[in-house]
Amino acid sequence: MAPDLNPVVFDLGNVLIGWDPHPAIAAEVGDERASRFLADDDFDFSAWNHAQDAGRGWDEAERVASVDFPQYADEIVAYRRHFDASLLGTIDGTEEIVRELHAAGIRLYALTNWSAELFGNALRRFDVLHLFDDIVVSGQERVAKPDPAIYAALARRAGRPLRGMVFVDDTPRNVAAAREADLDAVVFTTPDAFRSDLIARGYPLAPHAPTAPLSDFPAKA
């Protein structure tokens, strides 16, 4: 056990769980139409999806978008309908870090931009998520990174100041906002690089990910 070490806070999408909306949309309309839809700056899928991450309901989101962009009506509903196809499995290396930290008694939190309506899909599919002491889901809090309010929600849920807690996220603007909130935040590039960041901070991790599964590894999704 390592009770003197600060908690570690993980972003989820493309840090612990691979995510790509293209396969979900393509499942209904094909690769070419999915690519065209996602590349359309007028629609701006990222901003549209972010609103759901911040608490907007999917029924409203699809209704409004389908009125404004009738040419994309099929693409708009395809993402939620085939959402599981956007979840590409856990990221090798990051899951091992989570499990090693958990085994060492480090408190673990997740802070994720994710729709409240769709987060249950991930909880059912990825056993590793149940190792976290708490998961702050933006859609449930109705505020999303990089809004300072979501970092305040993390502090409230953790029951302690954020200073010293290590936070990792693949989006630089979220990392910058986390640093403003007093987290020890790093940009995620690769699991090996993050492992090195944690080792440098004194966390009890092996220099490299285990070559054999730890005893409680589930089968990869």
Side-chain angles (χ1 to χ4, degrees):
M1 303 290 285
D4 55 325
L5 289 169
N6 288 308
V8 179
V9 185
F10 288 77
D11 177 31
L12 295 182
N14 291 330
V15 172
L16 178 58
I17 299 169
W19 174 78
D20 182 354
H22 185 277
I25 298 163
E28 182 127 340
V29 301
D31 288 338
E32 183 177 346
R33 285 177 58 181
S35 295
R36 186 164 60 246
F37 171 62
L38 290 168
D40 191 329
D41 291 337
D42 289 335
F43 183 85
D44 194 348
F45 177 87
S46 179
W48 178 71
N49 189 54
H50 185 81
Q52 285 76 267
D53 288 347
R56 180 171 65 177
W58 275 99
D59 287 344
E60 177 190 358
E62 292 171 351
R63 177 181 57 78
V64 172
S66 295
V67 170
D68 292 343
F69 296 90
Q71 70 274 30
Y72 289 136
D74 293 337
E75 288 85 345
I76 287 164
V77 299
Y79 176 65
R80 176 169 56 149
R81 183 175 295 162
H82 303 284
F83 178 72
D84 277 352
S86 75
L87 304 179
L88 308 181
T90 55
I91 293 175
D92 288 337
T94 308
E95 180 176 348
E96 286 81 352
I97 291 171
V98 170
R99 292 185 178 278
E100 287 178 66
L101 291 174
H102 179 265
I106 305 298
R107 291 187 67 82
L108 301 174
Y109 297 94
L111 178 62
T112 183
N113 280 359
W114 204 303
S115 157
E117 294 171 69
L118 297 179
F119 188 64
N121 298 52
L123 283 176
R124 288 188 294 271
R125 184 167 165 187
F126 302 112
D127 289 349
V128 67
L129 294 178
H130 298 283
L131 299 183
F132 287 91
D133 293 275
D134 196 9
I135 299 176
V136 180
V137 178
S138 63
Q140 295 170 355
E141 297 291 331
R142 302 190 68 81
V143 63
K145 295 176 290 185
D147 192 308
I150 196 151
Y151 302 100
L154 171 63
R156 183 181 70 253
R157 297 265 291 264
R160 53 154 291 162
L162 299 181
R163 177 178 290 275
M165 293 172 67
V166 180
F167 172 66
V168 61
D169 194 296
D170 65 320
T171 303
R173 66 176 184 170
N174 294 343
V175 169
R179 289 172 179 163
E180 288 291 323
D182 229 9
L183 285 154
D184 178 10
V186 298
V187 177
F188 180 82
T189 54
T190 67
D192 285 346
F194 184 51
R195 178 178 289 271
S196 295
D197 289 334
L198 290 172
I199 290 171
R201 288 163 169 79
Y203 287 86
L205 297 173
H208 302 286
T211 56
L214 298 177
S215 60
D216 58 347
F217 269 34
K220 288 289 192 293

